[in-house]
Structure formats: C-alpha cells, structure tokens
Amino acid sequence: MDVAANVLAGGKNSRLYKRLVYDLQIAQNVSAFQSSKELGSEFCIIATELDKLEIEGPTQREVDRTVNGYEASFLDRLERIGGFGGKSDALNGYYFRTGNPDYFNEDMARYRAVSVDDVTAMIQTYLRDNGRVVLSVVPEGRPDLAATKTTSE
C-alpha cells in the first residue's frame, strides 16, 4: 500500500497529482499515504483545494452538513460510557475548559451560529497563499545551502 500511495500521489509526476492539479486544475496539491496499525490500517488521499474555497466560499448546504456532522459525532461519543473519547472524556473536557461539564449546548450553539460569510472570512484571513514558513536545516558553516526567499513571498 505504501507503493500504491506513492504511485497515486508521490510527486508531481504521479497519477493523481497530474490529473487533479495539472489536467483538471481542481486541486492545489495532492498527497497519499498508508499508515499500518495493529488492528487496522488507514489509506489516506489528501487533495488541497484552497483557492476555489477562498474565492467562492462554502455553500450553505456544506456549512449545514458540517455542523450536523459535528453534532452527530458528539452524540455518537456520548453513547460510549468510558474509554477514550467516550462520555466521560467529553464531560471532563468541557469541565476542564469551561468549568461546566454540561457545556454541550453552548458548544453546539457556536457551530450553529456559523455562517457562510464567517467561514469565508476565516479562510481569507488564515489560509493565505503567503502564510507559510520555510525552514532550512543546513550544516554549520554552509548558509549557502539554505532556502532563499523568492520574489513571490
């Protein structure tokens, strides 16, 4: 599966990268990876589509679907009594952060109040094209190997 992930999205000449970024121009970046676990594994494909989201913003339907998903996920966690991520963790997390273990309604009210314009404003503010850090780790005495600032940054 590691090899399959690399064939799909391992670099700019990979199948998905060429198709989604170059040919269809519907994503800015594509990556894939396989993560083995003892009882189960994950195969992830990630396609970044920030420009279109920044320009057009999300639809009301997308925002509603997301908020409904948060609520359903929270209620699903409440069905588990203990263990990681169950009811006890949720109540403890609310108590730790707010002093009120029964903070769910207030928490959901924050999500229900989010509008399309709110999401668009956050994307335009925090997910900018120039919002990045370039870090170069080079051998001592070799600053010439460090990344240089380009004119577009």
Side-chain angles (χ1 to χ4, degrees):
M1 295 307 291
D2 288 330
V3 173
N6 200 299
V7 168
L8 282 173
K12 296 183 179 187
N13 288 319
S14 63
R15 289 182 185 198
L16 277 179
Y17 197 98
K18 286 185 351 187
R19 179 83 171 133
L20 298 179
V21 176
Y22 293 126
D23 297 345
L24 297 175
Q25 297 182 1
I26 60 172
Q28 290 175 270
N29 189 33
V30 177
S31 63
F33 64 90
Q34 193 296 124
S35 178
S36 296
K37 308 276 192 286
E38 291 204 21
L39 298 177
S41 297
E42 295 176 78
F43 189 86
C44 298
I45 299 172
I46 302 165
T48 306
E49 189 197 28
L50 294 176
D51 283 349
K52 186 174 180 181
L53 188 59
E54 181 180 5
I55 293 167
E56 297 176 7
T59 65
Q60 186 63 53
R61 181 180 172 103
E62 290 171 319
V63 171
D64 291 344
R65 184 182 67 230
T66 300
V67 171
N68 291 339
Y70 282 136
E71 185 170 12
S73 175
F74 179 83
L75 295 173
D76 181 58
R77 286 191 319 258
L78 286 183
E79 291 180 2
R80 291 179 298 221
I81 303 296
F84 296 106
K87 181 188 291 189
S88 60
D89 278 354
L91 297 176
N92 186 47
Y94 281 136
Y95 181 72
F96 179 78
R97 289 177 184 82
T98 69
N100 178 6
D102 191 25
Y103 192 74
F104 169 70
N105 289 326
E106 291 87 344
D107 198 14
M108 276 310 303
R110 293 181 317 122
Y111 286 101
R112 289 183 183 128
V114 170
S115 71
V116 168
D117 291 338
D118 294 332
V119 177
T120 301
M122 290 295 100
I123 291 166
Q124 292 171 348
T125 301
Y126 295 109
L127 300 179
R128 300 181 318 266
D129 287 343
N130 64 352
R132 65 180 151 265
V133 173
V134 177
L135 173 67
S136 294
V137 179
V138 298
E140 187 175 357
R142 293 297 313 267
D144 57 303
L145 296 177
T148 59
K149 186 175 182 179
T150 64
T151 56
S152 65
E153 293 183 76

